[in-house]
Amino acid sequence: MGILARGGYELTPRADEAEVLVVNTCSFIEAAQKESVDAILEMAEYKKFGAAKKLIVAGCLVERFREQVLEQVPEVDAVVGTGEVERILEAVQGDLRVLPAQPPAFLYHDLTPRIVTTPKHAAYIKIAEGCDHPCTFCIIPELRGKFRSRRFESVVREAENLAAAGAREITLIGQDTTSYGEDLGLRDGLARLLAKLAQVEKLLWVRFLYAYPNRVTQELLDTIAAHPRLAKYIDMPLQHASRSVLARMKRGSSGDAFLKLLGRMRETIPGVSLRTSFIVGFPGERERDFTELCDFVKAARFDWMGVFEYSDVDNAESFALNEKVDSETITDRRNRLMAIQKKISRENLRQKYRGKRRETFTALVEGPSKENPMVWEARLEGMAPEIDGKLYLTDIELPSGEVAEPGDVVRVEMTKTDAYDLIGRVKEILPRIPERDAAAEAFAAPMQSPEKLHRIATGAALRVLG
Ligand code: SF4
């Protein structure tokens, strides 16, 4: 989007207005592929009835089905894979239809123009791309290429730019953030990067997602514990707890080893919130493996947990494994595991927040709730954007008449705890940081002359950063 905006194109969230439609696709699992294909077919209709003259398909689906997308949906004019992001302009201008398949190597940096589609107080930064792990259920290494880290200074500069433009929270992402820097010859690269980002003054929290269990070092934990700006929060997808299932997944380790690691995390970082995710119904997962996973979840007492149902992808290694689990059993296991966690989550929240009427907690205000316009949403340090539970605010006005705004840092009194969510009211609004400084103004400056504008459809509200 940033490349298109810099090239003089105007972005619109309205597909019926756009002259060019760009569908960015996912093909991680079958459900994602289906969603992507549905979106392409839906957009193809606009070529018949809307203003659209061109339909471009980008992203992971292209890495898997490059020529097929063009063959099977004749309305598609060009395809742009994950390694060809910088060629999007040529595709839009009509100079590119399809490139030969190559291992994806694209990696953005702080000078790559980027449009940030999240609210301005919270932004994601991708610190690395690709993955070298051999997990048998996963085709991400094929779709995204080999693991490669962004330069240290490039990430730091991007964080500083985002903070100057109003970001209070940065979430670092990548397929495996804990391997950050290995390919640059950095030891404990993620810990060093976090320590540096913890110095960016305007930020309230810096967090990272997707830690790989055997890459979590003591140095990393000590760094999180040492810096107030580093969110006391760790997301570490474990995928399973049974040794034999983990071996078939080619992820190694065991539930016992994970329990030790979780213990070390809690000891080093008091009050840390822990998130994980599991896959149920992996080929060869017997009843005893599942029971082992349930017992593990009961013992581990995670703050947040996601459970995914295994689904076959024809070119994943696990496709060839025998002892497939039927889909009904898989769904049943998912429901049972989630029911265990729901109880734990309810107890965790009750224990942490109930009956603490005189205590207040720091929260970042998101804005009015989409589900219920009567309340606002906010998050605590232990809640990552989009994936975890939420803090609902029933009252955002202080007795002085001052009212909280999206992006405000507030102190909240909890009034109710639920299974995954909390309810509270604002007791104090912390001093605001001046809206924009000169650097941010420069980033937000208009980049195109009006006569050059074309309309490109995207699905989200836009904010131009660089
Ligand atoms: S670590 Fe994550 S991205 Fe990499 S292969 Fe395993 S599941 Fe896929």
Side-chain angles (χ1 to χ4, degrees), residues 199-211:
Q199 312 303 321
V200 180
E201 272 184 15
K202 288 179 178 167
L203 294 177
L204 173 69
W205 298 319
V206 178
R207 69 177 85 237
F208 62 98
L209 301 178
Y210 319 127

Side-chain angles (χ1 to χ4, degrees), residues 15 47 54 118 131 155 168 180 182-183 215 272 290 339 347 433 437 461:
K47 267 188 91 175
K54 219 166 245 185
T118 46
C131 184
V155 177
R168 307 301 317 271
Y180 175 77
E182 271 180 22
D183 53 325
R215 302 293 163 110
V272 66
F290 180 67
E347 287 166 5
I433 292 175
D437 62 16

Side-chain angles (χ1 to χ4, degrees), residues 131 133 135 137-138 140-141 175 212 239 251:
C131 184
H133 290 290
C135 310
F137 54 84
C138 181
I140 281 184
Q175 269 81 42
Y212 194 87
Q239 313 301 10
R251 289 180 61 92

Side-chain angles (χ1 to χ4, degrees), residues 46-65:
Y46 287 101
K47 267 188 91 175
K48 292 183 206 145
F49 306 114
K53 296 188 184 68
K54 219 166 245 185
L55 174 57
I56 293 164
V57 176
C60 287
L61 195 74
V62 175
E63 292 299 330
R64 286 206 65 199
F65 306 106

Side-chain angles (χ1 to χ4, degrees), residues 281-318:
F282 190 77
E285 182 192 61
R286 309 231 173 119
E287 197 53 45
R288 67 164 179 269
D289 297 309
F290 180 67
T291 307
E292 205 176 321
L293 177 57
C294 293
D295 291 344
F296 173 77
V297 166
K298 285 179 200 158
R301 300 191 68 81
F302 292 101
D303 294 274
W304 314 109
M305 182 183 95
V307 181
F308 297 95
E309 298 184 10
Y310 174 79
S311 91
D312 254 342
V313 180
D314 55 12
N315 51 346
E317 211 181 313
S318 57

